[in-house]
Amino acid sequence: MSTEPTAPSQYENLSIKMVLSDMDGTLLRSDGSLPDGMFDLLRRLNHSGITFVPASGRQYATLANLFDGSTAGMPIVAENGAYIVRDGMELASFTLSREFVVATVELLRRIASKGCEIGVVLAGKNAAYVERDDEAFMEQVRTYYHANEVLSDQLAYNDEILKIAIFDFDDAESGTLPYLEHLRSDHTVVVSGTHWIDIMDPRVNKGLAVRTLQEKLSIPKDQTMAFGDYPNDIEMLEAVGYPFAMANGHEDVLSVSDFIAPSNEDGGVITVLSNILAQN
């Protein structure tokens, strides 16, 4: 499968009104930072009437901090589509029942007791709640969940839970995922990174978030573009007229995308959008 970036001539003269971008492995560099020139690009997109939307498995608070000072009018899709916020106002959310959260946490405790090295995050609207507090796990938690709280009993949370995230210290797809396959019958279960698995309401994926924004902002599919690199981005890419996989993307993402952007380390999202702005 070719991972050669698409020539700019193949996406000339596009009429784009909204761009969604995944964060890790897509927009962000491997150290988690925004690429150089991102804030200037946001100003140029805004001037051209194009809405930029971060769409990530990360927490809303984390994404808002990342784009601090540039979030006015910017919709933010957090928790893989379970929470959509614009200018501090909730546009949509999809939460998990208390009964399901309790049953799943108890299941994950049993999985951990069998020797799986995992940490569990309950991603709420106000904070992320964890029980395990060793530094190796908390380093991962702090990266993606700036608002976090350690509880002696994780189930003592007082919040609406948007997502259950599992960090597998080995490989999530081959390690923890097989224990969770049965949950897919009535919930969304996605591998969102080498070490992460997300469990959400069965309606939730980034594609639902795209369609929600298209409806609320009156932007059609054929004026929407998206960038992604991992399987949790597939529904988002399928919901837009111009789907871009990153050159460093998972083979499943490459297979559903019409275009390929340079890798995240090569500033692929900025490169493609800069080319589009230069042509219009």
Side-chain angles (χ1 to χ4, degrees):
M1 184 180 297
S2 174
T3 58
E4 188 68 24
T6 306
S9 60
Q10 294 185 41
Y11 50 83
E12 288 179 351
N13 303 316
L14 300 186
S15 177
I16 301 298
K17 293 299 182 183
M18 181 166 64
V19 177
L20 300 101
S21 179
D22 172 54
M23 294 290 104
D24 295 278
T26 300
L27 178 64
L28 302 181
R29 292 178 289 212
S30 59
D31 64 0
S33 64
L34 289 167
D36 295 337
M38 185 65 209
F39 290 104
D40 178 63
L41 177 67
L42 290 175
R43 287 190 289 269
R44 293 165 60 202
L45 289 170
N46 184 59
H47 181 73
S48 297
I50 299 172
T51 299
F52 182 83
V53 184
S56 175
R58 291 183 179 227
Q59 179 187 54
Y60 169 71
T62 305
L63 295 169
N65 289 342
L66 187 64
F67 289 93
D68 185 37
S70 297
T71 59
M74 174 192 285
I76 294 177
V77 174
E79 309 293 5
N80 270 325
Y83 199 35
I84 308 172
V85 179
R86 188 184 197 191
D87 293 331
M89 301 286 291
E90 178 181 313
L91 297 182
S93 65
F94 305 89
T95 59
L96 297 169
S97 72
R98 169 77 183 179
E99 292 76 15
F100 178 78
V101 172
V102 170
T104 304
V105 168
E106 290 176 347
L107 168 64
L108 292 166
R109 286 170 173 169
R110 292 194 297 272
I111 291 171
S113 71
K114 294 178 181 179
C116 286
E117 186 70 9
I118 61 173
V120 179
V121 179
L122 299 183
K125 289 185 177 181
N126 299 318
Y129 306 97
V130 300
E131 190 171 278
R132 177 172 176 164
D133 64 354
D134 57 287
E135 182 56 27
F137 178 55
M138 290 305 298
E139 181 180 4
Q140 299 297 326
V141 172
R142 288 192 294 266
T143 297
Y144 301 102
Y145 301 92
H146 288 186
N148 62 76
E149 185 176 342
V150 178
L151 302 175
S152 57
D153 177 1
Q154 193 166 34
L155 294 175
Y157 68 86
N158 181 23
D159 200 350
E160 294 179 87
I161 301 301
L162 299 156
K163 183 184 76 179
I164 301 172
I166 304 101
F167 182 81
D168 188 317
F169 281 80
D170 294 314
D171 180 78
E173 195 162 8
S174 62
T176 306
L177 183 62
Y179 292 102
L180 306 176
E181 287 286 358
H182 67 285
L183 298 179
R184 284 180 159 163
S185 64
D186 54 9
H187 283 81
T188 296
V189 181
V190 294
V191 178
S192 58
T194 303
H195 300 285
W196 287 99
I197 296 171
D198 291 341
I199 305 172
M200 299 164 291
D201 179 283
R203 296 166 291 175
V204 172
N205 56 59
K206 292 184 184 181
L208 173 63
V210 173
R211 293 188 295 274
T212 299
L213 288 173
Q214 287 168 338
E215 179 180 352
K216 289 184 177 293
L217 303 181
S218 299
I219 297 174
K221 178 178 180 178
D222 63 6
Q223 291 186 327
T224 312
M225 173 183 289
F227 298 85
D229 77 305
Y230 225 71
N232 63 315
D233 299 319
I234 288 175
E235 290 88 354
M236 174 176 71
L237 295 168
E238 292 175 334
V240 304
Y242 301 96
F244 277 80
M246 308 307 291
N248 54 287
H250 190 285
E251 61 181 13
D252 291 346
V253 176
L254 291 162
S255 70
V256 301
S257 300
D258 295 334
F259 307 93
I260 298 176
S263 74
N264 63 316
E265 290 297 340
D266 292 329
V269 173
I270 280 191
T271 298
V272 170
L273 293 178
S274 295
N275 284 330
I276 289 172
L277 289 172
Q279 295 164 4
N280 291 278

